[in-house]
């Protein structure tokens, strides 16, 4: 016979002596105590409690003993196995605790270490503001419409009732592309998207158009040659100024807070008749004690944009029958809205791309 269990081969049954069982037990207990980690303890468990372990083999021999010897041996072996199992469980608990402690130390992460990871880009606060505005209108059933920034002069001006000699043309200092005979401009307003929309689809039209616009303005704290506007256009049957007022009141309350409404001041825009300048109630002082308010500079109201009922001449130019349809339109500066919403005095940081500025407003990936 070869192998570790020759002494206990059932064929060579010898009466199980107390010393033999004690030896097996001591050997097992010593191996358990010596196991330095969970892996070796696993092996010890197999060696000393597995099917081929000395105690298991001895246990199998009990049946071949005479009755009294069987009882004694049964007791001894049972006790020995109990002691070994207990020792195993205790050692297992100790080793697991040690393992856990070591893992906590080894896998600890020092969150204060400087990172070597590159920063991920984030979307710009103005992009987020434009999306927020678009979302507010989408929630009311509008669609988002876009047009090119390099635009036909006719769509930027003529279609909107700003004929070649119209004095309002010079109000918007225009970038012209060369050659001039092409009559192409960088759009000075988002209003040409109105014309594009009416020319390409039939009413009912409910669209909102956020986008970039360009004017030959000096670059200073309150002007930039590129800025952002949002245009709204509704064309449907029976649309009145009252719909416009209700829509802008809702827009204002969503953007600036509950109870923030608008007021209209009579004005002039060639593409709307009647036209109005829109002011929004100062969302800081709410016109309660405006004298000391920095946001509205004592006015109680903040200039927000322009609006009006779409001029029938614009409807005709864009192929919409004014005897059936009427509409309203409005246009606001997004950067301006952002500035007073966040109490910014200077708009330049909005265009200079410093992440430290942008992230203060919560960029999103
Ligand atoms: N396009 C105008 C501007 O840039 C703003 C504006 C005013 C748009 C009245 C409109 C409107 O749609 O109805 O100054």
């Amino acid at each position: 016979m070869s192998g570790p269990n020759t002494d206990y081969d059932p064929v060579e049954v010898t009466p199980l002596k107390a010393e033999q069982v004690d030896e097996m037990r001591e050997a097992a207990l010593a191996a358990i105590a010596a196991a330095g980690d969970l892996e070796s303890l696993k092996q010890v468990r197999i060696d000393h409690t597995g099917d081929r372990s000395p105690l298991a083999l001895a246990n199998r021999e009990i049946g071949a003993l005479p009755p009294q010897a069987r009882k004694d041996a049964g007791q001894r072996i049972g006790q020995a196995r109990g002691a070994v199992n207990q020792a195993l469980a205790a050692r297992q608990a100790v080793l697991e605790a040690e393992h856990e402690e070591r893992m906590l130390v080894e896998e600890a992460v020092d969150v204060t270490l400087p990172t070597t990871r590159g920063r991920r880009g984030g979307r710009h606060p103005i992009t987020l503001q434009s999306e927020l505005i678009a979302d507010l209108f989408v929630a009311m059933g509008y669609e988002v419409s876009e047009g090119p920034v390099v635009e036909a002069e006719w769509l930027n001006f003529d279609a909107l009732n700003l004929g070649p000699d119209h004095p309002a043309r010079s109000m918007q200092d225009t970038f012209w592309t060369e050659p001039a005979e092409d009559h192409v401009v960088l759009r000075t307003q988002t209003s040409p998207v109105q014309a594009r929309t009416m020319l390409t689809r039939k009413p009912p039209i409910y669209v909102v158009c956020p986008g970039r616009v360009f004017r030959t303005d000096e670059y200073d704290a309150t002007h930039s040659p590129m800025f952002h506007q949002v245009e709204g256009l509704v064309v449907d049957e029976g649309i009145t100024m009252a719909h416009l007022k209700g829509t802008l009141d809702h827009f204002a309350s969503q953007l600036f807070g509950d109870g923030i409404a608008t007021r209209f001041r009579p004005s002039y825009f060639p593409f709307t008749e009647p036209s109005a300048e829109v002011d929004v109630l100062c969302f800081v002082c709410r016109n309660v004690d405006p004298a000391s308010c920095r946001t509205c500079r004592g006015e109680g109201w903040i200039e927000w944009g322009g609006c009006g009922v779409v001029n029938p001449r614009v409807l005709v130019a864009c192929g919409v029958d004014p005897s059936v349809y009427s509409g309203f339109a409005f246009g606001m500066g997004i950067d301006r809205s952002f500035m007073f919403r966040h109490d910014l005095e200077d708009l330049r940081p909005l265009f200079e791309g410093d992440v430290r500025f942008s992230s203060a407003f919560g960029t999103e990936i």
Side-chain angles (χ1 to χ4, degrees), residues 145-153 155-157 172-177 184-194 196 209-216 225-231:
S145 202
E146 281 178 344
V149 293
V150 180
E151 183 59 285
E153 176 190 4
L155 289 164
N156 192 77
F157 291 123
Q172 298 188 355
D173 302 313
T174 310
F175 284 112
W176 298 86
T177 67
V184 171
V185 300
L186 294 188
R187 68 178 180 196
T188 58
Q189 49 188 352
T190 41
S191 304
V193 187
Q194 290 188 23
R196 284 182 169 274
C209 336
R212 271 183 295 162
V213 300
F214 303 82
R215 292 190 196 173
T216 57
M226 188 282 290
F227 55 102
H228 300 81
Q229 284 188 339
V230 57
E231 191 82 16

mmCIF file of all heavy atoms in Angstrom, residues 145-153 155-157 172-177 184-194 196 209-216 225-231:
data_model
loop_
_atom_site.group_PDB
_atom_site.id
_atom_site.type_symbol
_atom_site.label_atom_id
_atom_site.label_comp_id
_atom_site.label_asym_id
_atom_site.label_seq_id
_atom_site.Cartn_x
_atom_site.Cartn_y
_atom_site.Cartn_z
ATOM 1 N N SER A 145 -36.630 75.095 -34.659
ATOM 2 C CA SER A 145 -36.301 75.307 -36.063
ATOM 3 C C SER A 145 -34.942 75.998 -36.136
ATOM 4 O O SER A 145 -34.622 76.816 -35.276
ATOM 5 C CB SER A 145 -37.379 76.223 -36.639
ATOM 6 O OG SER A 145 -37.478 76.119 -37.995
ATOM 7 N N GLU A 146 -34.152 75.657 -37.128
ATOM 8 C CA GLU A 146 -32.830 76.294 -37.237
ATOM 9 C C GLU A 146 -32.606 76.771 -38.652
ATOM 10 O O GLU A 146 -33.182 76.250 -39.599
ATOM 11 C CB GLU A 146 -31.733 75.302 -36.852
ATOM 12 C CG GLU A 146 -31.607 75.159 -35.350
ATOM 13 C CD GLU A 146 -30.564 74.144 -34.934
ATOM 14 O OE1 GLU A 146 -30.154 73.334 -35.783
ATOM 15 O OE2 GLU A 146 -30.175 74.181 -33.765
ATOM 16 N N GLY A 147 -31.733 77.772 -38.773
ATOM 17 C CA GLY A 147 -31.375 78.259 -40.106
ATOM 18 C C GLY A 147 -29.881 78.496 -40.146
ATOM 19 O O GLY A 147 -29.213 78.440 -39.109
ATOM 20 N N PRO A 148 -29.334 78.796 -41.327
ATOM 21 C CA PRO A 148 -27.890 79.008 -41.433
ATOM 22 C C PRO A 148 -27.493 80.379 -40.892
ATOM 23 O O PRO A 148 -28.302 81.317 -40.903
ATOM 24 C CB PRO A 148 -27.649 78.949 -42.946
ATOM 25 C CG PRO A 148 -28.946 79.384 -43.545
ATOM 26 C CD PRO A 148 -30.027 78.940 -42.609
ATOM 27 N N VAL A 149 -26.239 80.486 -40.439
ATOM 28 C CA VAL A 149 -25.774 81.812 -39.979
ATOM 29 C C VAL A 149 -25.310 82.656 -41.168
ATOM 30 O O VAL A 149 -25.326 83.878 -41.096
ATOM 31 C CB VAL A 149 -24.652 81.704 -38.910
ATOM 32 C CG1 VAL A 149 -25.183 81.106 -37.638
ATOM 33 C CG2 VAL A 149 -23.461 80.927 -39.418
ATOM 34 N N VAL A 150 -24.895 81.997 -42.236
ATOM 35 C CA VAL A 150 -24.590 82.748 -43.463
ATOM 36 C C VAL A 150 -25.876 82.731 -44.271
ATOM 37 O O VAL A 150 -26.324 81.678 -44.731
ATOM 38 C CB VAL A 150 -23.428 82.087 -44.245
ATOM 39 C CG1 VAL A 150 -23.112 82.877 -45.511
ATOM 40 C CG2 VAL A 150 -22.197 81.993 -43.359
ATOM 41 N N GLU A 151 -26.488 83.920 -44.414
ATOM 42 C CA GLU A 151 -27.880 83.976 -44.842
ATOM 43 C C GLU A 151 -28.054 84.886 -46.051
ATOM 44 O O GLU A 151 -27.276 85.829 -46.258
ATOM 45 C CB GLU A 151 -28.707 84.492 -43.646
ATOM 46 C CG GLU A 151 -30.196 84.559 -43.825
ATOM 47 C CD GLU A 151 -30.811 83.203 -44.165
ATOM 48 O OE1 GLU A 151 -30.661 82.752 -45.309
ATOM 49 O OE2 GLU A 151 -31.444 82.586 -43.270
ATOM 50 N N ALA A 152 -29.074 84.601 -46.834
ATOM 51 C CA ALA A 152 -29.396 85.483 -47.964
ATOM 52 C C ALA A 152 -29.909 86.824 -47.423
ATOM 53 O O ALA A 152 -30.722 86.843 -46.491
ATOM 54 C CB ALA A 152 -30.459 84.826 -48.826
ATOM 55 N N GLU A 153 -29.427 87.894 -48.046
ATOM 56 C CA GLU A 153 -29.880 89.230 -47.638
ATOM 57 C C GLU A 153 -31.410 89.305 -47.684
ATOM 58 O O GLU A 153 -32.043 89.853 -46.791
ATOM 59 C CB GLU A 153 -29.271 90.259 -48.603
ATOM 60 C CG GLU A 153 -29.746 91.668 -48.350
ATOM 61 C CD GLU A 153 -29.312 92.637 -49.463
ATOM 62 O OE1 GLU A 153 -28.704 92.182 -50.461
ATOM 63 O OE2 GLU A 153 -29.576 93.830 -49.318
ATOM 64 N N LEU A 155 -33.678 87.067 -47.142
ATOM 65 C CA LEU A 155 -34.352 86.446 -45.995
ATOM 66 C C LEU A 155 -34.089 87.205 -44.699
ATOM 67 O O LEU A 155 -34.951 87.302 -43.833
ATOM 68 C CB LEU A 155 -33.890 84.985 -45.844
ATOM 69 C CG LEU A 155 -34.412 84.042 -46.916
ATOM 70 C CD1 LEU A 155 -33.611 82.749 -46.935
ATOM 71 C CD2 LEU A 155 -35.893 83.737 -46.680
ATOM 72 N N ASN A 156 -32.871 87.756 -44.604
ATOM 73 C CA ASN A 156 -32.533 88.477 -43.371
ATOM 74 C C ASN A 156 -33.276 89.819 -43.302
ATOM 75 O O ASN A 156 -33.590 90.298 -42.213
ATOM 76 C CB ASN A 156 -31.019 88.719 -43.310
ATOM 77 C CG ASN A 156 -30.565 89.200 -41.937
ATOM 78 O OD1 ASN A 156 -30.467 88.414 -40.995
ATOM 79 N ND2 ASN A 156 -30.313 90.493 -41.801
ATOM 80 N N PHE A 157 -33.535 90.416 -44.479
ATOM 81 C CA PHE A 157 -34.150 91.746 -44.495
ATOM 82 C C PHE A 157 -35.452 91.813 -45.294
ATOM 83 O O PHE A 157 -36.525 92.015 -44.713
ATOM 84 C CB PHE A 157 -33.155 92.776 -45.075
ATOM 85 C CG PHE A 157 -31.976 93.037 -44.170
ATOM 86 C CD1 PHE A 157 -30.676 92.833 -44.630
ATOM 87 C CD2 PHE A 157 -32.144 93.506 -42.871
ATOM 88 C CE1 PHE A 157 -29.584 93.083 -43.806
ATOM 89 C CE2 PHE A 157 -31.054 93.762 -42.043
ATOM 90 C CZ PHE A 157 -29.765 93.543 -42.514
ATOM 91 N N GLN A 172 -29.217 97.744 -37.871
ATOM 92 C CA GLN A 172 -28.525 96.485 -37.606
ATOM 93 C C GLN A 172 -27.249 96.470 -38.433
ATOM 94 O O GLN A 172 -27.280 96.259 -39.636
ATOM 95 C CB GLN A 172 -29.425 95.317 -37.990
ATOM 96 C CG GLN A 172 -30.703 95.310 -37.169
ATOM 97 C CD GLN A 172 -31.522 94.064 -37.381
ATOM 98 O OE1 GLN A 172 -31.196 93.230 -38.210
ATOM 99 N NE2 GLN A 172 -32.586 93.930 -36.625
ATOM 100 N N ASP A 173 -26.131 96.754 -37.785
ATOM 101 C CA ASP A 173 -24.866 96.893 -38.514
ATOM 102 C C ASP A 173 -24.417 95.530 -38.994
ATOM 103 O O ASP A 173 -24.122 94.646 -38.197
ATOM 104 C CB ASP A 173 -23.837 97.520 -37.577
ATOM 105 C CG ASP A 173 -24.351 98.866 -37.085
ATOM 106 O OD1 ASP A 173 -24.817 99.653 -37.921
ATOM 107 O OD2 ASP A 173 -24.319 99.104 -35.857
ATOM 108 N N THR A 174 -24.401 95.425 -40.305
ATOM 109 C CA THR A 174 -24.346 94.101 -40.920
ATOM 110 C C THR A 174 -22.956 93.725 -41.437
ATOM 111 O O THR A 174 -22.252 94.558 -41.993
ATOM 112 C CB THR A 174 -25.336 94.080 -42.108
ATOM 113 O OG1 THR A 174 -26.581 94.574 -41.653
ATOM 114 C CG2 THR A 174 -25.490 92.699 -42.685
ATOM 115 N N PHE A 175 -22.594 92.475 -41.238
ATOM 116 C CA PHE A 175 -21.410 91.902 -41.903
ATOM 117 C C PHE A 175 -21.863 91.378 -43.260
ATOM 118 O O PHE A 175 -22.731 90.499 -43.321
ATOM 119 C CB PHE A 175 -20.869 90.699 -41.116
ATOM 120 C CG PHE A 175 -20.094 91.044 -39.878
ATOM 121 C CD1 PHE A 175 -20.603 90.736 -38.621
ATOM 122 C CD2 PHE A 175 -18.833 91.641 -39.964
ATOM 123 C CE1 PHE A 175 -19.873 91.025 -37.472
ATOM 124 C CE2 PHE A 175 -18.103 91.924 -38.809
ATOM 125 C CZ PHE A 175 -18.618 91.621 -37.568
ATOM 126 N N TRP A 176 -21.256 91.899 -44.320
ATOM 127 C CA TRP A 176 -21.575 91.416 -45.672
ATOM 128 C C TRP A 176 -20.459 90.494 -46.119
ATOM 129 O O TRP A 176 -19.294 90.745 -45.811
ATOM 130 C CB TRP A 176 -21.689 92.592 -46.648
ATOM 131 C CG TRP A 176 -22.791 93.529 -46.282
ATOM 132 C CD1 TRP A 176 -22.727 94.576 -45.418
ATOM 133 C CD2 TRP A 176 -24.141 93.471 -46.744
ATOM 134 N NE1 TRP A 176 -23.944 95.187 -45.296
ATOM 135 C CE2 TRP A 176 -24.846 94.523 -46.113
ATOM 136 C CE3 TRP A 176 -24.830 92.630 -47.618
ATOM 137 C CZ2 TRP A 176 -26.192 94.759 -46.340
ATOM 138 C CZ3 TRP A 176 -26.175 92.886 -47.843
ATOM 139 C CH2 TRP A 176 -26.851 93.928 -47.204
ATOM 140 N N THR A 177 -20.822 89.481 -46.856
ATOM 141 C CA THR A 177 -19.752 88.644 -47.419
ATOM 142 C C THR A 177 -19.390 89.196 -48.799
ATOM 143 O O THR A 177 -20.157 89.962 -49.390
ATOM 144 C CB THR A 177 -20.191 87.171 -47.572
ATOM 145 O OG1 THR A 177 -21.203 87.108 -48.567
ATOM 146 C CG2 THR A 177 -20.695 86.603 -46.257
ATOM 147 N N VAL A 184 -25.194 88.249 -49.721
ATOM 148 C CA VAL A 184 -25.161 87.286 -48.619
ATOM 149 C C VAL A 184 -24.609 87.982 -47.373
ATOM 150 O O VAL A 184 -23.648 88.743 -47.452
ATOM 151 C CB VAL A 184 -24.282 86.067 -48.980
ATOM 152 C CG1 VAL A 184 -24.057 85.168 -47.776
ATOM 153 C CG2 VAL A 184 -24.939 85.276 -50.111
ATOM 154 N N VAL A 185 -25.239 87.751 -46.245
ATOM 155 C CA VAL A 185 -24.829 88.398 -44.992
ATOM 156 C C VAL A 185 -24.605 87.346 -43.908
ATOM 157 O O VAL A 185 -25.037 86.195 -44.058
ATOM 158 C CB VAL A 185 -25.923 89.387 -44.494
ATOM 159 C CG1 VAL A 185 -26.169 90.472 -45.524
ATOM 160 C CG2 VAL A 185 -27.220 88.644 -44.153
ATOM 161 N N LEU A 186 -23.935 87.754 -42.827
ATOM 162 C CA LEU A 186 -24.014 86.944 -41.607
ATOM 163 C C LEU A 186 -25.305 87.425 -40.946
ATOM 164 O O LEU A 186 -25.467 88.623 -40.745
ATOM 165 C CB LEU A 186 -22.822 87.222 -40.690
ATOM 166 C CG LEU A 186 -21.446 86.807 -41.205
ATOM 167 C CD1 LEU A 186 -20.406 86.963 -40.103
ATOM 168 C CD2 LEU A 186 -21.472 85.347 -41.673
ATOM 169 N N ARG A 187 -26.212 86.513 -40.655
ATOM 170 C CA ARG A 187 -27.527 86.977 -40.213
ATOM 171 C C ARG A 187 -27.397 87.895 -39.000
ATOM 172 O O ARG A 187 -26.607 87.633 -38.082
ATOM 173 C CB ARG A 187 -28.458 85.805 -39.926
ATOM 174 C CG ARG A 187 -28.045 84.986 -38.737
ATOM 175 C CD ARG A 187 -29.053 83.861 -38.503
ATOM 176 N NE ARG A 187 -28.659 83.069 -37.345
ATOM 177 C CZ ARG A 187 -29.141 81.871 -37.056
ATOM 178 N NH1 ARG A 187 -30.054 81.318 -37.834
ATOM 179 N NH2 ARG A 187 -28.739 81.222 -35.992
ATOM 180 N N THR A 188 -28.167 88.994 -39.040
ATOM 181 C CA THR A 188 -28.094 89.978 -37.954
ATOM 182 C C THR A 188 -29.111 89.666 -36.867
ATOM 183 O O THR A 188 -29.149 90.312 -35.827
ATOM 184 C CB THR A 188 -28.390 91.383 -38.506
ATOM 185 O OG1 THR A 188 -29.697 91.353 -39.103
ATOM 186 C CG2 THR A 188 -27.354 91.797 -39.529
ATOM 187 N N GLN A 189 -29.970 88.709 -37.152
ATOM 188 C CA GLN A 189 -31.051 88.357 -36.222
ATOM 189 C C GLN A 189 -31.505 86.926 -36.533
ATOM 190 O O GLN A 189 -31.170 86.398 -37.597
ATOM 191 C CB GLN A 189 -32.215 89.326 -36.399
ATOM 192 C CG GLN A 189 -32.617 89.507 -37.858
ATOM 193 C CD GLN A 189 -33.641 90.618 -38.092
ATOM 194 O OE1 GLN A 189 -34.181 91.168 -37.134
ATOM 195 N NE2 GLN A 189 -33.919 90.927 -39.337
ATOM 196 N N THR A 190 -32.234 86.315 -35.604
ATOM 197 C CA THR A 190 -32.739 84.969 -35.908
ATOM 198 C C THR A 190 -34.053 85.049 -36.690
ATOM 199 O O THR A 190 -34.583 84.021 -37.114
ATOM 200 C CB THR A 190 -32.942 84.150 -34.605
ATOM 201 O OG1 THR A 190 -33.512 85.006 -33.608
ATOM 202 C CG2 THR A 190 -31.645 83.550 -34.125
ATOM 203 N N SER A 191 -34.546 86.275 -36.922
ATOM 204 C CA SER A 191 -35.835 86.418 -37.619
ATOM 205 C C SER A 191 -35.890 85.778 -39.009
ATOM 206 O O SER A 191 -36.972 85.338 -39.421
ATOM 207 C CB SER A 191 -36.220 87.898 -37.690
ATOM 208 O OG SER A 191 -36.248 88.454 -36.394
ATOM 209 N N PRO A 192 -34.772 85.701 -39.784
ATOM 210 C CA PRO A 192 -34.904 85.016 -41.077
ATOM 211 C C PRO A 192 -35.376 83.572 -40.947
ATOM 212 O O PRO A 192 -35.936 83.023 -41.903
ATOM 213 C CB PRO A 192 -33.489 85.094 -41.676
ATOM 214 C CG PRO A 192 -32.587 85.520 -40.594
ATOM 215 C CD PRO A 192 -33.432 86.309 -39.645
ATOM 216 N N VAL A 193 -35.202 82.963 -39.788
ATOM 217 C CA VAL A 193 -35.702 81.589 -39.621
ATOM 218 C C VAL A 193 -37.238 81.589 -39.697
ATOM 219 O O VAL A 193 -37.850 80.625 -40.148
ATOM 220 C CB VAL A 193 -35.206 80.949 -38.300
ATOM 221 C CG1 VAL A 193 -35.602 79.477 -38.230
ATOM 222 C CG2 VAL A 193 -33.699 81.085 -38.160
ATOM 223 N N GLN A 194 -37.839 82.726 -39.292
ATOM 224 C CA GLN A 194 -39.304 82.865 -39.457
ATOM 225 C C GLN A 194 -39.665 82.703 -40.923
ATOM 226 O O GLN A 194 -40.555 81.931 -41.278
ATOM 227 C CB GLN A 194 -39.767 84.267 -39.059
ATOM 228 C CG GLN A 194 -39.705 84.621 -37.611
ATOM 229 C CD GLN A 194 -40.397 85.976 -37.378
ATOM 230 O OE1 GLN A 194 -41.239 86.403 -38.164
ATOM 231 N NE2 GLN A 194 -40.037 86.635 -36.292
ATOM 232 N N ARG A 196 -37.892 81.496 -43.395
ATOM 233 C CA ARG A 196 -37.568 80.145 -43.892
ATOM 234 C C ARG A 196 -38.651 79.147 -43.500
ATOM 235 O O ARG A 196 -39.037 78.294 -44.289
ATOM 236 C CB ARG A 196 -36.247 79.665 -43.295
ATOM 237 C CG ARG A 196 -35.047 80.297 -43.919
ATOM 238 C CD ARG A 196 -33.757 79.771 -43.344
ATOM 239 N NE ARG A 196 -32.649 80.231 -44.165
ATOM 240 C CZ ARG A 196 -32.213 79.604 -45.247
ATOM 241 N NH1 ARG A 196 -32.753 78.466 -45.619
ATOM 242 N NH2 ARG A 196 -31.225 80.095 -45.971
ATOM 243 N N CYS A 209 -36.615 79.279 -32.335
ATOM 244 C CA CYS A 209 -35.354 79.191 -33.084
ATOM 245 C C CYS A 209 -34.224 79.864 -32.311
ATOM 246 O O CYS A 209 -34.037 81.066 -32.429
ATOM 247 C CB CYS A 209 -35.457 79.881 -34.442
ATOM 248 S SG CYS A 209 -37.112 80.014 -35.110
ATOM 249 N N PRO A 210 -33.477 79.108 -31.524
ATOM 250 C CA PRO A 210 -32.313 79.710 -30.872
ATOM 251 C C PRO A 210 -31.122 79.677 -31.832
ATOM 252 O O PRO A 210 -31.019 78.765 -32.648
ATOM 253 C CB PRO A 210 -32.049 78.788 -29.676
ATOM 254 C CG PRO A 210 -32.771 77.513 -29.974
ATOM 255 C CD PRO A 210 -33.658 77.700 -31.158
ATOM 256 N N GLY A 211 -30.246 80.663 -31.753
ATOM 257 C CA GLY A 211 -29.086 80.604 -32.644
ATOM 258 C C GLY A 211 -28.170 81.811 -32.524
ATOM 259 O O GLY A 211 -28.459 82.772 -31.806
ATOM 260 N N ARG A 212 -27.050 81.723 -33.266
ATOM 261 C CA ARG A 212 -26.047 82.787 -33.248
ATOM 262 C C ARG A 212 -26.391 83.870 -34.261
ATOM 263 O O ARG A 212 -26.877 83.557 -35.343
ATOM 264 C CB ARG A 212 -24.681 82.202 -33.614
ATOM 265 C CG ARG A 212 -23.927 81.711 -32.411
ATOM 266 C CD ARG A 212 -22.577 81.220 -32.805
ATOM 267 N NE ARG A 212 -22.686 80.050 -33.666
ATOM 268 C CZ ARG A 212 -21.700 79.601 -34.435
ATOM 269 N NH1 ARG A 212 -20.558 80.256 -34.482
ATOM 270 N NH2 ARG A 212 -21.856 78.517 -35.162
ATOM 271 N N VAL A 213 -26.115 85.110 -33.902
ATOM 272 C CA VAL A 213 -26.313 86.225 -34.831
ATOM 273 C C VAL A 213 -25.080 87.134 -34.767
ATOM 274 O O VAL A 213 -24.287 87.046 -33.812
ATOM 275 C CB VAL A 213 -27.598 87.016 -34.495
ATOM 276 C CG1 VAL A 213 -28.818 86.117 -34.590
ATOM 277 C CG2 VAL A 213 -27.513 87.659 -33.126
ATOM 278 N N PHE A 214 -24.928 87.996 -35.791
ATOM 279 C CA PHE A 214 -23.680 88.775 -35.930
ATOM 280 C C PHE A 214 -23.995 90.222 -36.269
ATOM 281 O O PHE A 214 -24.855 90.492 -37.113
ATOM 282 C CB PHE A 214 -22.829 88.175 -37.056
ATOM 283 C CG PHE A 214 -22.522 86.722 -36.841
ATOM 284 C CD1 PHE A 214 -23.455 85.736 -37.190
ATOM 285 C CD2 PHE A 214 -21.323 86.318 -36.273
ATOM 286 C CE1 PHE A 214 -23.197 84.390 -36.979
ATOM 287 C CE2 PHE A 214 -21.046 84.968 -36.067
ATOM 288 C CZ PHE A 214 -21.993 84.005 -36.421
ATOM 289 N N ARG A 215 -23.285 91.111 -35.606
ATOM 290 C CA ARG A 215 -23.401 92.531 -35.958
ATOM 291 C C ARG A 215 -22.038 93.175 -35.774
ATOM 292 O O ARG A 215 -21.254 92.752 -34.923
ATOM 293 C CB ARG A 215 -24.441 93.245 -35.082
ATOM 294 C CG ARG A 215 -25.832 92.755 -35.374
ATOM 295 C CD ARG A 215 -26.915 93.582 -34.714
ATOM 296 N NE ARG A 215 -28.163 92.824 -34.743
ATOM 297 C CZ ARG A 215 -29.273 93.195 -34.143
ATOM 298 N NH1 ARG A 215 -29.298 94.333 -33.457
ATOM 299 N NH2 ARG A 215 -30.349 92.457 -34.221
ATOM 300 N N THR A 216 -21.795 94.244 -36.545
ATOM 301 C CA THR A 216 -20.461 94.859 -36.489
ATOM 302 C C THR A 216 -20.318 95.744 -35.241
ATOM 303 O O THR A 216 -19.938 96.910 -35.337
ATOM 304 C CB THR A 216 -20.210 95.710 -37.750
ATOM 305 O OG1 THR A 216 -21.244 96.694 -37.835
ATOM 306 C CG2 THR A 216 -20.199 94.858 -38.999
ATOM 307 N N PRO A 225 -19.609 91.203 -31.343
ATOM 308 C CA PRO A 225 -19.998 91.039 -32.749
ATOM 309 C C PRO A 225 -20.726 89.717 -33.015
ATOM 310 O O PRO A 225 -21.351 89.551 -34.041
ATOM 311 C CB PRO A 225 -18.666 91.086 -33.512
ATOM 312 C CG PRO A 225 -17.595 91.053 -32.499
ATOM 313 C CD PRO A 225 -18.160 91.306 -31.145
ATOM 314 N N MET A 226 -20.650 88.805 -32.080
ATOM 315 C CA MET A 226 -21.428 87.561 -32.199
ATOM 316 C C MET A 226 -22.185 87.383 -30.892
ATOM 317 O O MET A 226 -21.599 87.528 -29.825
ATOM 318 C CB MET A 226 -20.473 86.376 -32.429
ATOM 319 C CG MET A 226 -21.149 85.068 -32.759
ATOM 320 S SD MET A 226 -21.848 84.229 -31.337
ATOM 321 C CE MET A 226 -20.378 83.704 -30.472
ATOM 322 N N PHE A 227 -23.443 87.146 -30.989
ATOM 323 C CA PHE A 227 -24.214 86.869 -29.774
ATOM 324 C C PHE A 227 -25.361 85.913 -30.126
ATOM 325 O O PHE A 227 -25.409 85.389 -31.239
ATOM 326 C CB PHE A 227 -24.690 88.164 -29.102
ATOM 327 C CG PHE A 227 -25.491 89.095 -29.974
ATOM 328 C CD1 PHE A 227 -26.878 89.161 -29.865
ATOM 329 C CD2 PHE A 227 -24.874 89.918 -30.896
ATOM 330 C CE1 PHE A 227 -27.620 90.023 -30.665
ATOM 331 C CE2 PHE A 227 -25.603 90.789 -31.708
ATOM 332 C CZ PHE A 227 -26.969 90.843 -31.587
ATOM 333 N N HIS A 228 -26.231 85.669 -29.164
ATOM 334 C CA HIS A 228 -27.269 84.644 -29.381
ATOM 335 C C HIS A 228 -28.667 85.228 -29.172
ATOM 336 O O HIS A 228 -28.875 86.014 -28.238
ATOM 337 C CB HIS A 228 -27.074 83.481 -28.410
ATOM 338 C CG HIS A 228 -25.757 82.802 -28.565
ATOM 339 N ND1 HIS A 228 -24.604 83.300 -28.000
ATOM 340 C CD2 HIS A 228 -25.406 81.685 -29.243
ATOM 341 C CE1 HIS A 228 -23.594 82.491 -28.316
ATOM 342 N NE2 HIS A 228 -24.050 81.519 -29.074
ATOM 343 N N GLN A 229 -29.546 84.822 -30.048
ATOM 344 C CA GLN A 229 -30.945 85.226 -29.896
ATOM 345 C C GLN A 229 -31.831 83.988 -29.907
ATOM 346 O O GLN A 229 -31.412 82.932 -30.386
ATOM 347 C CB GLN A 229 -31.388 86.091 -31.088
ATOM 348 C CG GLN A 229 -30.883 87.502 -31.069
ATOM 349 C CD GLN A 229 -31.539 88.339 -32.181
ATOM 350 O OE1 GLN A 229 -32.055 87.807 -33.163
ATOM 351 N NE2 GLN A 229 -31.517 89.639 -32.000
ATOM 352 N N VAL A 230 -33.033 84.179 -29.402
ATOM 353 C CA VAL A 230 -34.031 83.125 -29.602
ATOM 354 C C VAL A 230 -35.265 83.796 -30.189
ATOM 355 O O VAL A 230 -35.703 84.855 -29.730
ATOM 356 C CB VAL A 230 -34.366 82.345 -28.315
ATOM 357 C CG1 VAL A 230 -34.854 83.242 -27.201
ATOM 358 C CG2 VAL A 230 -35.390 81.254 -28.622
ATOM 359 N N GLU A 231 -35.755 83.183 -31.233
ATOM 360 C CA GLU A 231 -36.887 83.715 -31.970
ATOM 361 C C GLU A 231 -38.060 82.782 -31.755
ATOM 362 O O GLU A 231 -37.874 81.561 -31.668
ATOM 363 C CB GLU A 231 -36.488 83.676 -33.454
ATOM 364 C CG GLU A 231 -37.387 84.407 -34.375
ATOM 365 C CD GLU A 231 -37.061 85.893 -34.391
ATOM 366 O OE1 GLU A 231 -35.969 86.286 -33.937
ATOM 367 O OE2 GLU A 231 -37.907 86.661 -34.853
#
